[in-house]
C-alpha cells in the first residue's frame, strides 16, 4: 500500500468505519473509532487479537474520554499524577463508566487512556472530535513496527490506509499504569 493519507482523508475513512495505521510516540499504531463496534471488531480481526484483552484509546485531551471514565473511583490526588504526565507518552488504566464501549475495555473494568503529544495523533483526534483506538500495528504476538517500512504487508492488506508521518522515536511502547495506585501494568 503506497497511498499515504492526509489527516482529512484518514478521518473520512475512520468516520465510515475504516481502520488506519498511523505513527505514535514509539511504534506505528492501528486505529479506528472506538465508539464504532463493527470497526473495532474488524481491527481486532485484522490484528488477530481477542476482544477480552482490551485496547488503548488516545485523545487530544481528557474531556474527549471523560464520559467513559469513573474518576470518582480514584483516591484523592491520583488524578493529579495522571494529568501531570499528559500530554505525553503515558497510558493509564482508569476506572470505566458503563458508557465505555465493552469492545474497547474488553474484560477489564478500566479504560486504557493516553492523552498524546504526538502531532499526528493530536491532529487525528482533533479532526475526529474524539478519541481514537491505538494498538500496535502488528499481528498479535509479532514485534511492533517502529518504522513505516516495518509494517507487515499482510496487515497492510487488511486496513484502509496509512497516515503519513514518523514516530516520536521512543525505543519502546508507552508504559501502562493503573490510575488507582500507580502500579505498572506494562513497563
Amino acid at each position: 500500500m503506497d497511498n499515504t493519507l492526509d489527516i482529512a482523508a484518514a478521518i473520512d475513512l475512520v468516520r465510515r468505519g475504516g481502520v488506519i495505521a498511523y505513527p505514535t510516540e514509539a511504534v506505528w499504531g492501528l486505529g479506528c473509532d472506538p465508539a464504532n463496534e463493527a470497526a473495532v471488531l474488524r481491527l481486532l480481526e485484522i490484528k488477530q487479537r481477542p476482544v477480552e484483552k482490551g485496547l488503548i484509546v488516545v485523545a487530544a485531551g481528557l474531556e474527549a474520554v471523560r464520559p467513559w471514565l469513573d474518576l470518582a473511583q480514584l483516591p484523592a490526588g491520583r488524578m493529579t499524577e495522571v494529568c501531570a504526565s499528559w500530554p505525553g507518552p503515558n497510558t493509564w488504566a482508569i476506572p470505566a463508566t458503563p458508557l465505555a464501549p465493552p469492545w474497547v475495555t474488553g474484560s477489564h473494568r478500566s479504560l486504557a487512556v493516553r492523552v498524546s503529544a504526538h502531532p499526528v495523533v493530536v491532529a487525528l483526534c482533533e479532526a475526529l472530535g474524539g478519541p481514537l483506538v491505538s494498538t500496535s500495528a502488528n499481528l498479535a504476538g509479532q514485534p511492533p513496527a517502529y518504522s513505516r517500512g516495518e509494517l507487515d504487508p499482510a496487515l497492510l492488506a487488511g486496513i484502509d490506509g496509512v497516515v503519513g508521518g514518523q514516530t516520536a522515536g521512543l525505543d519502546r511502547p508507552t508504559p501502562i499504569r493503573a490510575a488507582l495506585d500507580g502500579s505498572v501494568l506494562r513497563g
Side-chain angles (χ1 to χ4, degrees):
M1 175 181 298
D2 290 342
N3 63 328
T4 300
L5 301 171
D6 63 16
I7 300 297
I11 292 307
D12 182 56
L13 282 171
V14 168
R15 284 197 173 115
R16 291 188 283 124
V19 175
I20 59 171
Y22 60 96
T24 71
E25 292 85 353
V27 300
W28 278 75
L30 286 182
C32 65
D33 179 352
N36 183 329
E37 182 178 10
V40 172
L41 294 178
R42 182 170 160 243
L43 178 150
L44 291 168
E45 183 178 325
I46 292 165
K47 188 173 167 74
Q48 300 170 11
R49 179 183 173 100
V51 69
E52 295 79 20
K53 288 186 88 172
L55 293 162
I56 294 171
V57 295
V58 290
L62 179 61
E63 289 309 308
V65 292
R66 197 139 178 24
W68 293 348
L69 304 177
D70 189 353
L71 300 181
Q73 283 193 42
L74 295 178
R78 293 298 312 150
M79 204 58 202
T80 302
E81 180 182 350
V82 170
C83 289
S85 73
W86 286 339
N90 298 287
T91 302
W92 293 90
I94 301 173
T97 68
L99 296 176
W103 50 87
V104 176
T105 58
S107 63
H108 308 281
R109 292 183 178 168
S110 60
L111 179 66
V113 178
R114 183 169 68 253
V115 175
S116 183
H118 189 285
V120 173
V121 175
V122 171
L124 287 167
C125 292
E126 286 178 346
L128 183 59
L132 191 65
V133 165
S134 186
T135 185
S136 56
N138 57 302
L139 300 176
Q142 297 298 310
Y146 285 88
S147 69
R148 183 174 175 159
E150 293 177 7
L151 291 169
D152 186 322
L155 186 98
L156 290 174
I159 67 172
D160 300 303
V162 179
V163 180
Q166 302 292 323
T167 66
L170 294 183
D171 63 356
R172 59 191 307 166
T174 61
I176 302 174
R177 289 177 282 170
L180 283 169
D181 61 11
S183 62
V184 176
L185 305 175
R186 177 181 81 185

